[in-house]
Amino acid sequence: MPLDMLITGRIATLSGDRGFGWVEAIGIRSGLIAFAGSEVFLETRADPFTERIHLEPDQVAIPGLTDAHLHLTQAALASRHVDLGDAATLDEGLARLRAAHERLPDGAWLEGHGWDSDRWGGWPTAEALEAVAPGRRAVLWAHDHHALWASETALLEADLPSGDPPGGVIRRTDDGSPEGVLYEAASRLVTVHVPAPSADELDQALIEVGRDLLRLGVVACHDPGGVAPDPSLEYSFPAYARLSDAGTLPVRVHACMRDDAVGAAIEQGYRSGARLGSDRDGRATVGWQKCFADGSLGSRTAALLEDIEPEPERPVPPEQRRGVWMTDPDGLRERAEHAAAGGIATTIHAIGDAAIRAALSVLEPLAATSPLMPRIEHVQMLHPDDRPRFAMAGIAASVQPVHLGSDAIQAWKLWGDRAEAEGYTWKAIADTGAVMPFGTDAPVEPYDPWPGLALAVHREDARWPSGTPVYAPEQSLTLDRALRANCIDGPVSARESDRGRLTVGQRADVVVIGAAAIDEPVTPGGPLSTTRPQMVLMDGKVIFEI
């Protein structure tokens, strides 16, 4: 049977365990790679009706990328909210919020994201927000989505308790009144009151962002769930099912649920790995239960084995010097076992070394029978004793290299000598044989995957002050290993055996990029970090082309 399509040129199949797996040609039939090898051999498999794509000398083809940690619904909606990510000062942020407030109709919530207390030199307050948006209910996520800045009106509607809720902290003034920032689980006291978007609004936003992902070479993502509570699964799951059944979901999605929705998921018959919607060949699939062990580096809430480094100008209460447990180890175990009994795999957010150690102990007994690989998300500060445990147990270490660019200065400051010895140790993890999927954590970071790939190979960021050294250069990955993390390891963690390579039997998801991204040295702002695909195929069909 002749080929539907023949692609010739420099093609990285990522075959085998290492290297690029270069071939001269791949043949595609019925959406799958049918042959991979020499151009001369594959020409014998073509006929006059075979579509031919010949790569230019300055082009290479690689497999489609999977973003293994992309809050897709949240990223889709965030594109319509106020972005404070490049607001250099509090005053600049407040000016943007004033303008947004004046544009909104009465009664509408003001939503946004991207502020950073380190960038602004302190924590913002509800009082400051009230001055530019009087009477407005407003909620604004920090850049890491682990702290929420809320207006006085929103705080009043939430009717906050006098103390801190389990797994959360409420910043307070000297007289005990809420100051305006809520950390971790405390944020839900406010966000539960924010109205959900309409189905049409959410669907359109998902389609727009999905198409943008395709233009970047991303053909699939794992959505860890939104930050707003959805205990009945009435929000993202139906949206993905609708779009999948309609054939309008641009990328493949594994949709996760938060731990408060597992009971509803089991009652509704959801199981990890099952399709969402009625189309058995659709692009939406049930993913993992997402639990939170700890918080984040920037919010000073990552759970640590040793105290955070002291900050005289921003003292941390003694009880928080080793972070915050959003869910303690016993609670994590209970949630993971409950989900496993219902056929649902678990992934655990864990940034600090204490949180990662606890998460490994929870997931190890469940790994062998889990429908999807158990995962730990972020793995930013990993004690050396725990590195081998991922590969030994079959637990994936899901990391987001782009966070190093945003976090390095804080890591050096807050983790001291531990920052480089234990922080972002991707080569050490990879050397154990662990599955290590790459993601972006959008909308915490942009969903462009290429800057993160470059950071994994050359651990330096153009945003850092002049003279900042490379961060633990011995932990750099080779480019082929970084590509494997972004192309293969995500599907492997989802137990998908038909994606991630350009070898026989794999889906023909092909991304054509400039050869300079592969051939030239990796530098901040260089060809790899600024890559823009020139052509993208899914299942053997061209879906984007410049």
Side-chain angles (χ1 to χ4, degrees):
M1 184 180 296
L3 298 171
D4 298 327
M5 180 181 288
L6 176 62
I7 302 177
T8 58
R10 289 180 65 198
I11 301 169
T13 65
L14 302 186
S15 61
D17 295 330
R18 59 181 59 85
F20 291 96
W22 295 110
V23 297
E24 297 176 335
I26 54 174
I28 298 170
R29 183 189 299 135
S30 300
L32 302 176
I33 305 296
F35 297 94
S38 73
E39 180 178 356
V40 172
F41 174 75
L42 263 70
E43 277 289 354
T44 66
R45 304 285 178 169
D47 70 6
F49 299 101
T50 299
E51 183 179 356
R52 287 171 166 79
I53 296 175
H54 179 71
L55 304 181
E56 299 298 328
D58 62 349
Q59 294 178 316
V60 297
I62 63 172
L65 278 60
T66 293
D67 189 322
H69 192 112
L70 194 169
H71 301 266
L72 185 56
T73 55
Q74 201 69 29
L77 295 172
S79 65
R80 304 181 176 204
H81 298 158
V82 181
D83 185 359
L84 302 173
D86 60 352
T89 64
L90 172 62
D91 287 344
E92 184 179 342
L94 289 171
R96 294 185 190 183
L97 295 170
R98 181 191 297 276
H101 163 70
E102 292 173 351
R103 291 192 301 267
L104 285 173
D106 291 344
W109 283 73
L110 172 56
E111 299 182 67
H113 59 96
W115 59 270
D116 184 344
S117 65
D118 286 285
R119 189 193 330 134
W120 286 358
W123 298 100
T125 66
E127 181 181 6
L129 195 50
E130 191 69 18
V132 298
R136 176 76 65 183
R137 293 174 296 180
V139 288
L140 306 151
W141 286 105
H143 70 105
D144 60 5
H145 282 235
H146 284 265
L148 185 78
W149 177 20
S151 67
E152 291 180 354
T153 308
L155 293 172
L156 286 172
E157 185 163 325
D159 191 22
L160 300 179
S162 58
D164 291 333
V169 177
I170 301 170
R171 282 187 65 84
R172 298 182 184 274
T173 61
D174 291 340
D175 67 3
S177 301
E179 189 176 62
V181 171
L182 304 93
Y183 304 107
E184 311 303 347
S187 64
R188 293 194 173 195
L189 299 172
V190 176
T191 58
V192 71
H193 297 284
V194 181
S198 69
D200 288 345
E201 182 182 6
L202 179 57
D203 289 0
Q204 187 57 42
L206 285 168
I207 290 171
E208 290 173 3
V209 170
R211 289 172 177 167
D212 206 25
L213 288 170
L214 291 175
R215 288 190 284 269
L216 291 167
V218 178
V219 300
C221 73
H222 300 163
D223 182 350
V227 291
D230 185 22
S232 300
L233 296 176
E234 299 173 349
Y235 181 49
S236 60
F237 272 41
Y240 288 135
R242 283 193 304 270
L243 295 176
S244 180
D245 287 348
T248 54
L249 185 59
V251 297
R252 301 184 183 93
V253 178
H254 273 73
C256 297
M257 68 201 75
R258 294 298 169 89
D259 51 14
D260 61 358
V262 169
I266 294 173
E267 287 180 8
Q268 296 173 42
Y270 292 125
R271 300 294 183 267
S272 292
R275 287 286 183 256
L276 277 170
S278 57
D279 184 355
R280 298 184 66 180
D281 296 320
R283 291 179 174 172
T285 304
V286 180
W288 294 256
Q289 167 191 223
K290 170 76 177 294
C291 299
F292 284 82
D294 64 348
S296 71
L297 167 65
S299 294
R300 282 71 171 170
T301 51
L304 306 175
L305 294 172
E306 299 177 24
D307 284 3
I308 199 170
E309 295 297 310
E311 295 179 275
E313 74 284 5
R314 299 179 63 177
V316 175
E319 67 274 12
Q320 293 178 28
R321 289 175 186 164
R322 296 194 179 189
V324 173
W325 286 95
M326 291 188 66
T327 312
D328 64 30
D330 289 340
L332 291 171
R333 181 172 291 104
E334 178 183 340
R335 287 161 172 76
E337 291 175 352
H338 177 223
I344 296 172
T346 291
T347 184
I348 298 176
H349 165 114
I351 285 180
D353 48 7
I356 297 168
R357 177 168 292 179
L360 284 165
S361 295
V362 166
L363 296 177
E364 282 166 335
L366 305 174
T369 57
S370 181
L372 309 178
M373 284 188 74
R375 297 188 355 182
I376 298 178
E377 304 298 325
H378 307 305
V379 194
Q380 289 184 5
M381 188 179 184
L382 175 64
H383 193 282
D385 290 351
D386 294 320
R387 288 175 190 161
R389 297 174 67 183
F390 288 91
M392 291 175 61
I395 297 169
S398 173
V399 304
Q400 301 75 44
V402 70
H403 282 324
L404 178 59
S406 302
D407 292 353
I409 306 302
Q410 288 181 333
W412 277 313
K413 176 182 178 181
L414 300 177
W415 292 344
D417 292 342
R418 295 170 290 171
E420 294 198 29
E422 299 185 24
Y424 314 91
T425 52
W426 305 319
K427 184 178 186 300
I429 295 170
D431 285 348
T432 68
V435 174
M436 189 171 63
F438 276 6
T440 60
D441 202 8
V444 173
E445 304 277 1
Y447 47 71
D448 180 354
W450 303 100
L453 267 168
L455 267 165
V457 177
H458 184 77
R459 294 156 67 92
E460 184 179 10
D461 194 285
R463 296 171 291 175
W464 297 350
S466 176
T468 302
V470 176
Y471 192 106
E474 70 278 4
Q475 291 296 336
S476 298
L477 297 176
T478 59
L479 179 52
D480 63 283
R481 181 62 184 91
L483 279 174
R484 287 170 179 271
N486 232 145
C487 297
I488 299 172
D489 287 12
V492 169
S493 74
R495 305 213 192 277
E496 295 178 289
S497 59
D498 63 346
R499 293 201 311 106
R501 308 175 192 263
L502 298 179
T503 54
V504 174
Q506 297 276 290
R507 290 181 181 270
D509 297 342
V510 185
V511 177
V512 178
I513 61 175
I518 302 296
D519 297 336
E520 294 189 12
V522 177
T523 58
L528 179 60
S529 65
T530 58
T531 291
R532 288 296 177 265
Q534 298 156 20
M535 180 184 291
V536 178
L537 290 79
M538 277 185 74
D539 294 323
K541 299 183 184 301
V542 177
I543 54 174
F544 170 72
E545 184 175 8
I546 294 178

